[in-house]
Amino acid sequence: MSNSSLLRCAAAFLVLSVYIWLFGITGVIEEEVEQVFADQSLEFIPSARDVMGRGGEVITAGDVQVNPVNDPKPGYRDLPAQTVWSGLEDLAFAASSLEESESAITTPPTASTPPATTTPPVTTTPPVTTTPHITTTPPVTTTPPTSTTPSPIITTTPHTESAANVILPPSASERLTVITPNGQVNDTVLNIVARIVQQEIGSSFDVEAIKAQTVAAYTYVMFSHSQGRTARVELAATASERVMDNVKQVIGQALYYDGEFAQTVYCASSAEYTASAKSVWGADFPYLRSKRSDFVKEHDPNHGLTNSIPANEIRIAILDKTGIRLTGEPADWFEIIDYVDTVYVGAMTVGGQSSYTPPGGAEIRFTGKTFRDIIGLRALRSAAFEFTYNPATDRFTFITYGYGHGVGLSQNGANILARHYGYDYRQILEYYYPGTELR
């Protein structure tokens, strides 16, 4: 072998040795995080850890999520500051017109025969805060649930209106414009709705859940347009063949209340009760009220997630967003006063204060929702939570139930009803939007 060949071999060996030393020994390649789901039949979609800094430690399934988009959802204001969405204004705009509509309901709708499936489990005991260091008042339910089991009630004609009052939807081939975080998008009705469904729940959900999401998304878009506003949505780049096929089967079907498009907001997962629009946004919709959905406990991947956060990170977040300087024992920083919709944290105190006033703004009461806004949407996935403080580690541990605002259709709940209890999309929609008419 020539000297030049020996030199080339020696140089290659040296480069390989340096590479192994840098990347093998120092452990640059991170170990893959195990994905933990309550329902192994659901699609696994990993997401980046999004807590209040590097100190956040997700203990159970915190680094993964089922839906590509969990927050924001239609009608929800928990969004990045650079994006302004109008869901709250949409609710407030229509609330006054629905007050008169509500009085038109004089008799309950006629129930159809439920599917021959196992009745989902019913648990009457709401989550109880187990914090040994934090005093809480026993739960006070301010909004009574409207149902105790997910028994479908199919309403065919809840209201009577003349033909002149019926809003006719556009055809699937017509074009419409929506607003996304990346700007305006103009496409056919079919493509817009299919891309929403693909982004919201993907292809792996049960076909009946996909159809229910299609109707809810389509109705939400048309509600916004019927109010003279452009719907704000999240869109996938394209829709899979499976999603497109199921969207085509129901596109054009919408939910109506009193002859007008309903405000069909939805969330990733509700807790053991759905939340009411009134408790979340202050606008009372007859078809967006709290109802029991404790069948989610067995299958929903967002039920009972645990997240541990250093007390100092919470102290910094509270100071930064409210101006309140937390002092003394962390175990005394927070107190839950009551609950709304059975399981969602209602009024609470932070540092002994029941509200705060941001610079140049109006006074804001501390509630489970506002506390979640402050702590972070991924760190605290729902306003239905309980917590403990461990002085040995100086960390708060939060257990959350559900993901998102909890109002309207629960995407994972719809999938559970279809997959485990045999509901079709009509029954799913009637369960989550009772009193509306599908046509």
Side-chain angles (χ1 to χ4, degrees):
M1 182 180 292
S2 65
N3 290 336
S4 60
S5 297
L6 289 174
L7 288 173
R8 283 195 295 270
C9 290
F13 179 77
L14 179 62
V15 171
L16 179 61
S17 299
V18 172
Y19 182 87
I20 293 174
W21 182 81
L22 286 175
F23 295 96
I25 297 176
T26 57
V28 172
I29 301 176
E30 297 179 354
E31 182 181 358
E32 184 176 359
V33 178
E34 180 183 2
Q35 297 176 336
V36 182
F37 282 84
D39 188 339
Q40 298 298 322
S41 62
L42 297 178
E43 180 179 24
F44 293 169
I45 303 177
S47 66
R49 177 170 297 182
D50 185 9
V51 292
M52 294 191 312
R54 292 185 177 273
E57 178 186 355
V58 179
I59 298 175
T60 305
D63 279 3
V64 291
Q65 62 191 43
V66 171
N67 299 340
V69 179
N70 284 287
D71 281 314
K73 293 295 183 192
Y76 201 26
R77 298 285 292 193
D78 291 338
L79 289 134
Q82 65 268 23
T83 306
V84 180
W85 292 53
S86 62
L88 187 59
E89 288 85 351
D90 292 343
L91 285 168
F93 183 87
S96 59
S97 63
L98 285 176
E99 290 179 358
E100 295 182 0
S101 302
E102 182 181 357
S103 63
I105 304 178
T106 56
T107 58
T110 302
S112 66
T113 303
T117 55
T118 304
T119 303
V122 177
T123 303
T124 58
T125 304
V128 178
T129 302
T130 58
T131 309
H133 301 287
I134 299 175
T135 303
T136 61
T137 303
V140 177
T141 304
T142 58
T143 305
T146 59
S147 177
T148 57
T149 59
S151 301
I153 302 176
I154 308 303
T155 304
T156 55
T157 55
H159 300 283
T160 302
E161 59 271 327
S162 64
N165 293 329
V166 175
I167 302 174
L168 298 178
S171 67
S173 61
E174 290 186 37
R175 303 184 71 87
L176 58 80
T177 299
V178 294
I179 298 176
T180 75
N182 297 320
Q184 288 192 349
V185 173
N186 182 270
D187 203 345
T188 65
V189 171
L190 175 62
N191 287 340
I192 288 290
V193 174
R195 291 169 65 186
I196 293 174
V197 174
Q198 182 70 49
Q199 179 73 2
E200 288 290 343
I201 62 175
S203 304
S204 69
F205 275 34
D206 189 276
V207 295
E208 297 302 320
I210 292 175
K211 292 175 184 178
Q213 176 66 73
T214 297
V215 175
Y218 173 73
T219 306
Y220 173 77
V221 169
M222 297 314 301
F223 173 88
S224 298
H225 283 265
S226 71
Q227 302 298 321
R229 288 185 292 279
T230 303
R232 300 173 183 270
V233 299
E234 295 269 351
L235 296 178
T238 59
S240 69
E241 182 178 354
R242 186 170 189 262
V243 166
M244 183 63 76
D245 287 346
N246 283 282
V247 169
K248 287 179 179 178
Q249 293 183 42
V250 296
I251 191 67
Q253 295 184 40
L255 292 174
Y256 296 82
Y257 188 86
D258 202 30
E260 298 181 349
F261 289 111
Q263 170 67 302
T264 51
V265 297
Y266 41 88
C267 63
S269 299
S270 67
E272 294 173 48
Y273 289 77
T274 63
S276 64
K278 184 175 183 180
S279 67
V280 176
W281 299 297
D284 186 15
F285 285 69
Y287 50 86
L288 293 178
R289 292 177 177 168
S290 178
K291 67 183 304 179
R292 177 172 292 171
S293 58
D294 59 356
F295 60 90
V296 302
K297 291 188 297 183
E298 184 177 356
H299 304 287
D300 197 312
N302 291 309
H303 185 82
L305 293 186
T306 303
N307 190 15
S308 176
I309 306 175
N312 190 52
E313 291 192 2
I314 295 180
R315 185 203 312 266
I316 293 172
I318 295 293
L319 178 62
D320 179 61
K321 297 182 180 180
T322 70
I324 296 175
R325 189 177 301 276
L326 297 174
T327 60
E329 291 295 325
D332 301 326
W333 285 354
F334 314 117
E335 180 182 6
I336 296 175
I337 305 301
D338 60 23
Y339 293 80
V340 295
D341 300 329
T342 306
V343 294
Y344 297 87
V345 174
M348 60 183 298
T349 61
V350 174
Q353 301 187 37
S354 59
S355 64
Y356 72 99
T357 304
E363 181 182 21
I364 298 176
R365 290 190 314 110
F366 282 118
T367 64
K369 179 184 180 302
T370 56
F371 186 73
R372 181 177 181 239
D373 295 343
I374 295 167
I375 300 302
L377 304 181
R378 298 293 176 91
L380 199 60
R381 294 195 167 198
S382 168
F385 61 84
E386 52 192 62
F387 59 92
T388 59
Y389 171 71
N390 186 341
T393 60
D394 194 28
R395 301 173 78 96
F396 282 90
T397 297
F398 293 88
I399 303 177
T400 54
Y401 303 91
Y403 194 176
H405 52 67
V407 183
L409 179 140
S410 161
Q411 293 165 331
N412 283 304
N415 194 46
I416 292 168
L417 288 176
R419 182 164 293 173
H420 296 281
Y421 299 102
Y423 280 34
D424 64 24
Y425 77 97
R426 299 176 184 85
Q427 294 167 326
I428 293 171
L429 292 169
E430 179 55 35
Y431 180 75
Y432 285 110
Y433 306 108
T436 59
E437 180 185 5
L438 175 67
R439 64 167 181 261

